[in-house]
Amino acid sequence: MAEETENTPTAPTARQLASARGFVAKHGKPSRAVVENIGLAGARVVLVGPDGAMGDVLVAGVETGTALVEQVDDLEAAEWDSETVKTVKIGAAHRRKMAGPRAGR
């Protein structure tokens, strides 16, 4: 697992904050955020709106993701528990996109 170093920024950028705030404004309050470590690339903050929409924000690391969640009003830290999973609504277009080339088979 990648560890954050002293050189890893821990404060989210204005663009990252604006993206998360925009998601909450568009998809409802309160929205949920699951911070996932993605190794050397940093962390992914998966956003889940009460309307079932999903989005994400990539950040430098887990600590930065946690800071982002804390700084955005009406964004609650969450885990992939049954309540969060049940909230997500994945449509057919998203399923095809995730399937990639196999979608045509």
Side-chain angles (χ1 to χ4, degrees):
M1 226 183 255
E3 291 186 28
E4 294 184 35
T5 65
E6 291 178 25
N7 296 331
T8 303
T10 57
T13 66
R15 186 175 187 175
Q16 292 164 337
L17 289 166
S19 180
R21 288 179 180 132
F23 180 90
V24 172
K26 183 175 182 180
H27 297 287
K29 303 172 185 177
S31 290
R32 296 169 176 251
V34 180
V35 180
E36 302 175 326
N37 184 347
I38 55 173
L40 294 176
R44 178 180 183 217
V45 181
V46 181
L47 307 169
V48 179
D51 64 352
M54 283 181 62
D56 65 357
V57 179
L58 296 179
V59 295
V62 172
E63 193 173 306
T64 307
T66 302
L68 179 128
V69 175
E70 291 171 354
Q71 292 179 38
V72 176
D73 292 336
D74 298 310
L75 187 59
E76 300 174 348
E79 298 291 327
W80 286 117
D81 56 14
S82 62
E83 191 173 327
T84 301
V85 172
K86 284 187 225 177
T87 303
V88 176
K89 291 180 178 57
I90 299 175
H94 187 74
R95 290 180 195 277
R96 280 191 300 275
K97 180 180 175 184
M98 292 185 69
R102 293 179 175 228
R105 292 182 186 182

